[in-house]
Amino acid sequence: MTPCSTTCETTTLDVLELAQGAQDYMVEVRRFLHMYPELSWKEDNTISFIKSEIVKHLKNYKGSSSLTEKKGGLILDLNISPEFDRILFRADVDALPIQEETNLSFSSQVPNVMHACGHDCHAAMLLGALKVITSKNLEIKHNIRFIFQRAEEVPFVTSGGESLVKDGIMKNISRAYALHISSKDELGVLRSKPGPMMANCTTICFEIKCMGGHVMCPESGSNAIDVMTDIHNYLKGFALRAIGPKERVSFVPAVSNSGTAANIMPEYAKATYAFRNYLKEDIKNDFLQNLKKRIQAIASTYQDACLHSFDVFDGYPVLVNDYDSFSYVDALLQTNNFKTSLSREVFAGEDFAYYLKKVKGSYWSLGAKQGKCYGHHTSLFNPDEEAFSKGAAFWLLLAVND
């Protein structure tokens, strides 16, 4: 097969039918990946499997292509014409440290690891689109870069997306797109919004140190649990008091640890707070400085107590969809009889934000609700596989339209 000439026009009906024709393949791929999930930065078998599928599909492809692997994942370039721009399609592939409880016939075979966010679905849908593109006589209007990305679920260290962007994968990319399954939204409905869509995911970790001592002499020492309890109580509603009601922030305690034995007043207590926000950098920095001062002040009211450490991890940046890219995709979907809906801003984080800081593009979710829906990052997460053909068609529509 050679790339189509301008006389080979791909209709919407063709795209939808071809995507549906890949449905069984996508289900098979998804279920295999679901049974053998791997955590972030440990996806070696997952990447090997995806690479083998790509190689199979490329055997049917007569055009130019290149397949490379970097630390952050696989990069496949389909080179249709030197006159075309290059767009980027991204799917993430890592799983989560959750014990699956769905009792599905293809449940995870790995204890305490589960594809509980749909990344197995993302990989399957993008592979399904690749299968169609490489085996059918489609008129592709762009050169395409396919990304199968490791380590999206790691907001506290360098993620796969950040790593790939640092390695230069955005060079010569005109637009970038990502698609995420959603178990809470109506089956087949595609959702997004222009502008900011997902939050910055800052994490704040701090440690209190005090005198400690024997529990039989509470008057002779100080207890880190008491100090931390006062801090937690004070910080309830702190973001509202410090920033005001007009800003979009979520400031939530996520981890609190102290103590080793029932006869010891602990010297140390640690806490982690999740700070999701859409703040400007100066307002965010003022908040963090104010927070640190308040914690120091509370600790100082106890005997020999202090704020021992205070660390801030910036996490993923705010994900911002380019207005023109959003409008283009939304109009394309509606013209082709896809149902779309506007998303709202959420406090979720997404490392595709690193891609969109480099080039224009947009991030979309695909509804896959079935029966009693269970949320992402839960042990019962189970999106409807019937959504897969719509997901593959999403990619195909972007490929065959200017």
Side-chain angles (χ1 to χ4, degrees), residues 256-272:
S256 189
N257 295 318
S258 187
T260 56
N263 60 349
I264 301 171
M265 291 192 301
E267 296 179 42
Y268 292 92
K270 298 180 180 180
T272 299

Side-chain angles (χ1 to χ4, degrees), residues 62-124:
K62 305 304 181 184
S64 170
S65 66
S66 65
L67 176 61
T68 58
E69 183 174 353
K70 295 184 181 294
K71 178 183 177 182
L74 291 173
I75 303 100
L76 169 65
D77 280 350
L78 294 189
N79 307 310
I80 309 302
S81 168
E83 298 178 0
F84 291 170
D85 67 341
R86 186 175 300 280
I87 58 177
L88 182 148
F89 296 165
R90 177 273 218 168
D92 38 15
V93 304
D94 52 328
L96 288 159
I98 294 174
Q99 177 62 43
E100 183 164 358
E101 297 179 349
T102 62
N103 294 318
L104 294 167
S105 61
F106 52 92
S107 290
S108 171
Q109 301 300 296
V110 183
N112 302 312
V113 183
M114 176 190 176
H115 271 295
C117 199
H119 296 189
D120 51 343
C121 305
H122 304 166

Side-chain angles (χ1 to χ4, degrees), residues 196-362:
M197 180 176 170
M198 292 192 177
N200 163 244
C201 302
T202 293
T203 300
I204 304 158
C205 302
F206 58 91
E207 185 175 25
I208 299 300
K209 185 182 184 304
C210 66
M211 180 179 290
H214 198 297
V215 295
M216 73 177 189
C217 301
E219 76 282 2
S220 299
S222 53
N223 188 325
I225 293 177
D226 289 336
V227 183
M228 189 60 79
T229 298
D230 280 0
I231 291 171
H232 285 319
N233 285 334
Y234 178 82
L235 293 183
K236 290 179 180 178
F238 176 72
L240 178 62
R241 298 193 302 272
I243 301 174
K246 293 184 179 180
E247 297 287 358
R248 298 149 294 174
V249 299
S250 173
F251 182 61
V252 179
V255 180
S256 189
N257 295 318
S258 187
T260 56
N263 60 349
I264 301 171
M265 291 192 301
E267 296 179 42
Y268 292 92
K270 298 180 180 180
T272 299
Y273 274 69
F275 183 41
R276 302 294 176 95
N277 66 88
Y278 289 84
L279 297 174
K280 294 180 179 178
E281 201 65 23
D282 58 339
I283 298 176
K284 176 183 170 183
N285 290 335
D286 287 346
F287 172 83
L288 293 171
Q289 292 175 16
N290 190 3
L291 173 66
K292 184 176 181 179
K293 289 178 182 178
R294 297 297 179 179
I295 294 172
Q296 288 172 325
I298 295 170
S300 69
T301 63
Y302 284 82
Q303 184 177 0
D304 294 326
C306 67
L307 175 60
H308 184 64
S309 65
F310 184 87
D311 297 305
V312 176
F313 303 92
D314 281 334
Y316 303 156
V318 176
L319 184 146
V320 182
N321 289 322
D322 170 65
Y323 280 77
D324 290 341
S325 298
F326 163 81
S327 298
Y328 165 74
V329 177
D330 189 52
L332 178 64
L333 292 170
Q334 291 192 42
T335 299
N336 289 284
N337 300 315
F338 283 73
K339 187 175 180 181
T340 67
S341 178
L342 277 176
S343 296
R344 58 183 179 85
E345 292 177 0
V346 295
F347 286 124
E350 168 57 65
D351 84 336
F352 192 65
Y354 291 111
Y355 296 68
L356 295 183
K357 287 188 74 173
K358 290 291 185 180
V359 302
K360 295 180 178 181
S362 56

